[in-house]
Amino acid sequence: MTPHILLLEDDGKLAHLMETELGLEGYRVTVANNGLAGLGLAREIQPDLLIVDWMMPGLSGLDVCLRLRTTGLQVPIILLTAKDEIPDRVAGLNAGADDYVTKPFSLAELLARVRAHLRRAHPNLLQLEDLTLNRTAREVFRDRRLIQLTAKEFDLLEFLMRHPRQVLTRDQILEQVWGYGFVGESNVIEVYIRALRLKLEGNDSPRLIHTVRGVGYVLRGSSGPALP
């Protein structure tokens, strides 16, 4: 399923901005504007990752980290703070935070850290925007909708998702998905790409698999650069 992120931030404008950007990346986001509410939500919804502001009303982000760790919650926690001294960083990590981002920060950097922590926490989960592939369960979801794929369709999509935003040639796809020396219909890739598109683009979802004429295919999100 789509990773669920709990955001604890009392600055309304910043919280809205982060919620919007995380949503555009395909994550489900729940927001709390004080520490006590965030602590309760974390225990209730069991999110896949938390982003926690240190200076929160009611209960500090540091105390939220400490209490969640003492209850056994082991999901990644990214701590946001204007405190940038070494002792502050040490205190945050000792409280149970997995990462430390100093304000003001780049949203691109925060998103990169979110992706990195989710990959480590769920090594068998691949994601691009609202498309999620679970390699262990061999399940694919788009916007929380289960997509039924054949075994070879799944293998093809997994290969594309392991190389997002990278143009893959027909030879690369044939070798990695069908095996070196494959002998079959010359248009087998086109047939499977067409089938994947039909299944992934239901409910008017934006296209993710794009054709690069004369080269091959690329999996990229709707926010990526335009292709010729």
Side-chain angles (χ1 to χ4, degrees), residues 146-163:
L146 179 64
I147 309 293
Q148 299 288 350
L149 300 181
T150 68
K152 192 58 70 176
E153 288 169 352
F154 184 94
D155 293 342
L156 173 57
L157 181 60
E158 180 184 357
F159 181 59
L160 293 171
M161 292 190 73
R162 284 195 285 111
H163 302 84

Side-chain angles (χ1 to χ4, degrees), residues 136-217:
T136 301
R138 290 186 70 83
E139 291 179 336
V140 173
F141 291 87
R142 180 139 198 215
D143 192 25
R144 289 176 277 176
R145 176 173 61 95
L146 179 64
I147 309 293
Q148 299 288 350
L149 300 181
T150 68
K152 192 58 70 176
E153 288 169 352
F154 184 94
D155 293 342
L156 173 57
L157 181 60
E158 180 184 357
F159 181 59
L160 293 171
M161 292 190 73
R162 284 195 285 111
H163 302 84
R165 304 176 186 89
Q166 177 181 334
V167 178
L168 301 168
T169 67
R170 296 183 77 262
D171 288 344
Q172 286 176 309
I173 295 172
L174 279 173
E175 182 175 341
Q176 295 297 321
V177 179
W178 276 267
Y180 181 77
F182 169 78
V183 177
E185 296 295 330
S186 61
N187 66 338
V188 64
I189 296 177
E190 288 76 10
V191 170
Y192 275 85
I193 290 290
R194 190 179 307 120
L196 276 179
R197 283 173 172 163
L198 286 172
K199 293 182 178 182
L200 295 178
E201 295 171 14
N203 297 336
D204 297 321
S205 298
R207 173 156 293 185
L208 294 177
I209 303 174
H210 301 266
T211 301
V212 181
R213 289 178 188 152
V215 183
Y217 298 92

Side-chain angles (χ1 to χ4, degrees), residues 6-216:
L6 176 59
L7 170 62
L8 279 58
E9 174 57 67
D10 64 318
D11 182 326
K13 289 184 178 180
L14 180 57
H16 178 70
L17 179 61
M18 287 194 289
E19 180 183 13
T20 300
E21 290 298 321
L22 289 164
L24 289 173
E25 287 287 307
Y27 301 116
R28 287 188 295 149
V29 185
T30 298
V31 180
N33 61 7
N34 69 78
L36 283 172
L39 183 65
L41 280 169
R43 291 169 174 167
E44 176 186 344
I45 67 177
Q46 296 288 303
D48 296 287
L49 181 141
L50 283 90
I51 301 174
V52 182
D53 184 24
W54 186 317
M55 302 300 292
M56 295 277 291
L59 193 69
S60 75
L62 205 65
D63 288 330
V64 170
C65 292
L66 283 167
R67 295 195 186 190
L68 289 177
R69 292 312 190 208
T70 58
T71 61
L73 189 68
Q74 295 302 315
V75 301
I77 299 176
I78 299 176
L79 193 63
L80 305 179
T81 179
K83 300 173 180 285
D84 60 357
E85 299 295 329
I86 295 298
D88 298 319
R89 294 174 180 268
V90 172
L93 296 173
N94 284 341
D98 298 277
D99 206 347
Y100 192 102
V101 177
T102 304
K103 295 181 177 180
F105 55 84
S106 159
L107 277 172
E109 179 188 0
L110 177 63
L111 292 172
R113 295 192 185 207
V114 166
R115 287 190 291 267
H117 283 290
L118 286 173
R119 279 197 302 269
R120 285 194 286 270
H122 303 281
N124 290 312
L125 205 64
L126 300 175
Q127 182 174 12
L128 181 74
E129 295 194 348
D130 61 351
L131 178 65
T132 305
L133 182 146
N134 187 315
R135 297 162 77 179
T136 301
R138 290 186 70 83
E139 291 179 336
V140 173
F141 291 87
R142 180 139 198 215
D143 192 25
R144 289 176 277 176
R145 176 173 61 95
L146 179 64
I147 309 293
Q148 299 288 350
L149 300 181
T150 68
K152 192 58 70 176
E153 288 169 352
F154 184 94
D155 293 342
L156 173 57
L157 181 60
E158 180 184 357
F159 181 59
L160 293 171
M161 292 190 73
R162 284 195 285 111
H163 302 84
R165 304 176 186 89
Q166 177 181 334
V167 178
L168 301 168
T169 67
R170 296 183 77 262
D171 288 344
Q172 286 176 309
I173 295 172
L174 279 173
E175 182 175 341
Q176 295 297 321
V177 179
W178 276 267
Y180 181 77
F182 169 78
V183 177
E185 296 295 330
S186 61
N187 66 338
V188 64
I189 296 177
E190 288 76 10
V191 170
Y192 275 85
I193 290 290
R194 190 179 307 120
L196 276 179
R197 283 173 172 163
L198 286 172
K199 293 182 178 182
L200 295 178
E201 295 171 14
N203 297 336
D204 297 321
S205 298
R207 173 156 293 185
L208 294 177
I209 303 174
H210 301 266
T211 301
V212 181
R213 289 178 188 152
V215 183

